[in-house]
Amino acid sequence: EALARVADLAMRLAALRPTQRQALYMAAVQGLSAREIAARLGLSSPAAVSQRLRTARRELASPPEPADG
């Protein structure tokens, strides 16, 4: 069960857009602020980072799609 959950999370992370994945990593792992992330990713504003983080978190939290079987 735990291994299946890790695999599901890995697939969900891989499915994110690159800037969403990068922003999520910078916020969650590196502890950077939205302003710092915006500067590193060349985004127009911290609000753009916040939107990417919201979208990424929503996609990661959505229920997994049923497997074909």
Side-chain angles (χ1 to χ4, degrees), residues 20 47-60:
Q20 290 173 335
V49 172
S50 296
Q51 178 60 41
R52 282 169 175 78
L53 290 173
R54 274 192 302 277
T55 302
R57 289 176 178 136
R58 186 173 50 246
E59 290 180 20
L60 291 175

Side-chain angles (χ1 to χ4, degrees), residues 27-39:
V29 176
Q30 296 179 328
L32 298 178
S33 69
R35 182 178 303 245
E36 292 168 317
I37 295 168

Side-chain angles (χ1 to χ4, degrees), residues 13-39:
L13 285 167
L16 293 176
R17 292 182 179 165
T19 55
Q20 290 173 335
R21 192 169 42 252
Q22 291 167 335
L24 189 61
Y25 178 83
M26 290 178 184
V29 176
Q30 296 179 328
L32 298 178
S33 69
R35 182 178 303 245
E36 292 168 317
I37 295 168

Side-chain angles (χ1 to χ4, degrees), residues 6 8 25 39 44-45 51 64:
V6 170
D8 179 61
Y25 178 83
S44 59
S45 69
Q51 178 60 41

Side-chain angles (χ1 to χ4, degrees), residues 8 11-12 62-69:
D8 179 61
M11 287 190 325
R12 288 168 182 262
S62 66
E65 293 186 18
D68 292 342

